Amino acid sequence: MGKILDEKHKQILLEGARNNQLILAVPCPGNCKFCYEKSLNKTFRNVVTEVIPKYTKESFDFLLQHLSDKLSLLSPSSGFVFARQKIRQRGGADFFHLGLTKEQIIKVMELNKKRYVRGQMYIYTTGFKVDPFFVKELSEKYAQFVEICLSAVTFNEKIKRELMTNYGKNEVLKRIIKHVRKLTVVLFHFNKEQTLLDLREINHLKPRGADVIIVKLYYSKFDELLVKKYAEKSYMDVKETVLFIYKNRNLFENINRIFLTPDSKIYAWTFQHKLRDILSKYDFRNNEFMFCSEGAYSELRKILKGKKVRVIPIKSPCGGSIDDAATITTNEIISKIKELKLQNIKISKLYLPSSMYWIHDISYRDTDIYDLRGKTKGEIKRLFPNIVLEMIALGDLGEGPLDLEDCYKYYLYEHN
Ligand code: SF4
């Protein structure tokens, strides 16, 4: 007689089945000290890390039995949802550490093969205790829809020992990079020397069409000193590193594309034309304000120079080097409005970036979108009914990594 599933677990599985999601068992085995998920619930008390049991025969069969018949791929799902009055955080997790057997993983793939119409199934792994040849088999047999993303972080074992609990051994990472087709390798930028060594290592392996994403380290006020130390070092020479890689791209000719996740100010600069188009449709008047992230502030001021609207940067409550709009919440907006009102400053209209509200309700039927405190813009309207609130629709502008060339152009512009 198999293990009885408890009600809470059944609810999570049913939620996954409804949305064709293989909800990931968390926490992620990497347990990286620099993982932004680690400190998020220290800043945002309403964020709870949802502990989801690993799949068993019973829970896996239960999920498949209740799978919606929608023709979309059954895909790993992580991220954030609003449910039961909380922001439920479902970590990055590792597809090969969900408790699924190889047979069960093949069952998911075969099901997706039958269902395939369009879309991709992104499989994230740290390479920790992973069979590289099984990964190769999946990437070839299900090439139509499978994309493997390897969070390699670095080949420097000393750094990995310092910052991660579990990580892919270098020989496993190298086998995956050498053999798996259409792979995305995620490296973290610790310093110029290490990033160049890591890129050379990948280039030397002659990967089969691999892209590399270089992630610049951030830290929040709650991160430990070690992470802060690495993040500040990462910040210091990221420009030099980008300029070197771009000018010596031939040294990495076996790497398909190189991307970077830079500061939000580089995103704002790179997308300035799109931002200008979006903002050109507004007829700004007196007593109108635009609140934005610290990262986007200098670019928005330039774009809106001479316009009547006042641009005001809002500091992310995460502190540290975090300066994006996704961590600004309703609370920070309300505090700033109160601060301006105390100075007898009249606010008739307030513009906010749509990227502040990005978390959907679990049912996806609820049209409200929440911030990291589980609040909606409705709260601002309720407290300040005389202020007209306008969300600036940014869509997915600034989401995802930037092409190396975009970052190179920014640093060139910054240089002149
Ligand atoms: S591998 Fe990624 S998701 Fe997992 S703990 Fe590390 S940074 Fe977080």
Side-chain angles (χ1 to χ4, degrees):
M1 174 67 179
K3 194 170 156 294
I4 308 298
L5 301 173
D6 69 35
E7 230 9 77
K8 186 170 162 239
H9 191 186
K10 274 189 188 166
Q11 284 319 313
I12 292 170
L13 291 166
L14 285 171
E15 176 223 316
R18 256 198 319 274
N19 302 306
N20 285 298
Q21 294 172 336
L22 204 52
I23 295 180
L24 300 181
V26 287
C28 173
N31 193 27
C32 308
K33 290 186 175 139
F34 52 78
C35 183
Y36 86 101
E37 289 158 10
K38 255 195 167 351
S39 56
L40 218 51
N41 48 16
K42 294 189 182 115
T43 304
F44 306 106
R45 298 273 170 228
N46 210 26
V47 171
V48 291
T49 302
E50 192 127 66
V51 176
I52 301 171
K54 289 198 174 191
Y55 286 89
T56 59
K57 179 175 179 334
E58 292 72 27
S59 61
F60 181 67
D61 293 348
F62 181 89
L63 175 82
L64 292 194
Q65 278 154 26
H66 293 84
L67 214 48
S68 94
D69 54 11
K70 265 191 275 156
L71 277 182
S72 45
L73 298 175
L74 172 59
S75 283
S77 157
S78 62
F80 297 77
V81 288
F82 180 75
R84 303 182 295 281
Q85 299 315 309
K86 296 270 182 199
I87 298 293
R88 306 225 166 239
Q89 175 183 351
R90 297 168 174 172
D94 189 309
F95 182 74
F96 299 101
H97 288 268
L98 303 184
L100 294 173
T101 61
K102 285 187 178 176
E103 294 69 33
Q104 287 171 327
I105 289 176
I106 295 296
K107 207 169 181 176
V108 170
M109 297 302 170
E110 288 300 320
L111 177 110
N112 282 343
K113 199 171 168 185
K114 286 199 202 89
R115 286 175 160 227
Y116 180 73
V117 179
R118 69 181 76 76
Q120 290 300 110
M121 179 185 185
Y122 295 97
I123 291 182
Y124 291 85
T125 181
T126 58
F128 172 61
K129 289 191 179 163
V130 162
D131 169 358
F133 297 104
F134 183 53
V135 183
K136 177 174 184 284
E137 181 196 333
L138 295 179
S139 78
E140 287 173 356
K141 215 166 156 194
Y142 307 103
Q144 229 178 353
F145 54 84
V146 163
E147 280 219 29
I148 310 279
C149 183
L150 176 66
S151 193
V153 179
T154 176
F155 291 97
N156 182 319
E157 297 266 5
K158 175 181 169 295
I159 293 178
K160 286 196 277 194
R161 275 196 301 278
E162 271 189 315
L163 292 173
M164 301 173 77
T165 304
N166 300 309
Y167 49 84
K169 291 277 176 266
N170 284 354
E171 65 269 18
V172 172
L173 297 180
K174 290 178 187 174
R175 283 213 182 100
I176 293 176
I177 293 167
K178 193 172 177 55
H179 297 293
V180 171
R181 52 167 288 294
K182 221 172 109 184
L183 181 74
T184 299
V185 182
V186 177
L187 292 176
F188 279 76
H189 174 70
F190 295 102
N191 56 63
K192 179 183 173 190
E193 187 208 351
Q194 189 56 53
T195 296
L196 298 184
L197 280 172
D198 290 338
L199 286 174
R200 285 204 184 95
E201 188 71 68
I202 295 172
N203 190 68
H204 174 69
L205 292 161
K206 295 195 172 55
R208 303 169 60 198
D211 294 339
V212 172
I213 300 176
I214 303 170
V215 176
K216 189 180 89 50
L217 269 183
Y218 283 87
Y219 73 96
S220 86
K221 62 185 175 199
F222 289 109
D223 281 319
E224 54 184 278
L225 208 52
L226 181 65
V227 174
K228 184 169 181 262
K229 191 188 84 177
Y230 271 113
E232 285 177 341
K233 184 118 189 35
S234 156
Y235 189 81
M236 270 188 321
D237 67 3
V238 68
K239 174 177 176 178
E240 205 189 316
T241 311
V242 166
L243 296 177
F244 180 91
I245 299 170
Y246 188 81
K247 289 178 185 158
N248 302 279
R249 189 65 179 84
N250 58 318
L251 297 176
F252 315 106
E253 61 194 355
N254 299 326
I255 297 175
N256 189 26
R257 293 171 297 171
I258 300 180
F259 300 93
L260 202 88
T261 60
D263 303 338
S264 25
K265 74 171 183 244
I266 301 181
Y267 281 97
W269 183 84
T270 304
F271 296 119
Q272 59 181 286
H273 303 300
K274 288 196 181 134
L275 275 173
R276 213 175 276 282
D277 290 351
I278 292 169
L279 296 171
S280 63
K281 73 170 194 256
Y282 295 102
D283 173 20
F284 297 111
R285 308 274 172 89
N286 288 330
N287 304 323
E288 295 192 350
F289 287 77
M290 182 177 297
F291 292 175
C292 67
S293 68
E294 288 180 313
Y297 177 60
S298 61
E299 204 52 47
L300 278 175
R301 276 198 62 200
K302 251 181 283 160
I303 293 171
L304 295 168
K305 197 165 183 223
K307 305 276 184 197
K308 291 190 177 126
V309 64
R310 257 181 74 186
V311 185
I312 296 194
I314 305 290
K315 190 168 180 45
S316 164
C318 296
S321 59
I322 295 175
D323 63 357
D324 63 347
T327 58
I328 296 171
T329 72
T330 308
N331 289 23
E332 286 75 50
I333 303 301
I334 290 169
S335 317
K336 184 55 78 176
I337 295 172
K338 285 182 177 165
E339 193 189 307
L340 294 171
K341 282 190 170 294
L342 278 176
Q343 298 162 32
N344 294 323
I345 295 174
K346 184 171 182 302
I347 309 172
S348 60
K349 189 170 185 177
L350 175 60
Y351 298 87
L352 292 177
S354 59
S355 42
M356 267 183 58
Y357 297 97
W358 49 281
I359 301 167
H360 285 275
D361 178 88
I362 204 163
S363 68
Y364 293 87
R365 280 189 295 276
D366 166 346
T367 50
D368 259 331
I369 305 190
Y370 299 82
D371 62 19
L372 273 165
R373 290 188 207 277
K375 294 187 177 171
T376 69
K377 59 182 185 298
E379 177 109 357
I380 302 168
K381 288 184 179 161
R382 191 176 56 72
L383 284 173
F384 306 104
N386 302 331
I387 297 178
V388 177
L389 194 56
E390 173 101 28
M391 301 307 293
I392 299 185
L394 297 173
D396 58 4
L397 210 59
E399 281 175 23
L402 285 184
D403 191 281
L404 183 79
E405 186 170 358
D406 293 326
C407 301
Y408 174 75
K409 286 181 187 154
Y410 172 81
Y411 287 125
L412 220 55
Y413 146 81
E414 197 188 51
H415 208 62
N416 300 330

